[in-house]
Amino acid sequence: MAKLSTEELLDAFKELTLIELSEFVKAFEETFEVTAAAPVAVAAAAGAAGGAGAAEEPEEKDSFDVILETVGDKKIQVIKVVRELTSLGLGEAKAVVDGAPKAVLEGANKETADKAKAALEEVGASVTLK
């Protein structure tokens, strides 16, 4: 049997009825011992969690905003840390610091957000993760 390209496979699936496609998915799952429905359920849950569910289940959150709340008395050091954490120039970083409370990082993973928070707090700034 010749190997089919992805495009050829998609064309073949387009020819199937929903019932035939459903039967194929079941056979695929049994043959390869996988569950094709799991990613769909996860995506649906993630979409639902983006709404009201996000506040109820913060332990599943994987994206954080690092918010600079107050600068403290070491403004120059805070500006330097903001520049290290972002790709901002001196003027832009100063604007972020002067505009506190302001987001320094948006959509960061947990590890990056924690490191950024620690670095900013080390120079006297107060930070929250949202």
Side-chain angles (χ1 to χ4, degrees):
M1 182 174 162
K3 184 175 179 182
L4 297 176
S5 72
T6 301
E7 196 159 313
E8 290 170 327
L9 284 169
L10 289 173
D11 288 340
F13 288 132
K14 289 176 187 175
E15 301 287 322
L16 298 176
T17 66
L18 287 177
I19 293 172
E20 292 169 331
L21 186 57
S22 175
E23 290 170 355
F24 169 78
V25 170
K26 287 178 188 172
F28 185 90
E29 289 173 339
E30 290 170 8
T31 303
F32 295 101
E33 297 178 3
V34 295
T35 304
V40 175
V42 170
E56 298 168 8
E57 301 179 26
E59 68 276 1
E60 290 185 24
K61 188 171 183 176
D62 60 355
S63 173
F64 298 87
D65 293 346
V66 179
I67 310 296
L68 176 65
E69 296 292 340
T70 60
V71 177
D73 58 352
K74 298 179 182 175
K75 183 176 177 180
I76 293 172
Q77 284 82 354
V78 174
I79 292 171
K80 287 181 182 179
V81 172
V82 168
R83 288 192 67 201
E84 290 171 10
L85 296 172
T86 64
S87 59
L88 298 176
L90 180 61
E92 296 157 320
K94 183 180 182 301
V96 168
V97 171
D98 288 343
K102 191 135 179 130
V104 176
L105 295 175
E106 294 179 336
N109 65 33
K110 177 77 170 142
E111 182 181 343
T112 302
D114 286 340
K115 286 181 181 177
K117 182 179 182 198
L120 287 163
E121 287 176 342
E122 190 175 303
V123 292
S126 66
V127 179
T128 58
L129 300 180
K130 294 186 177 179

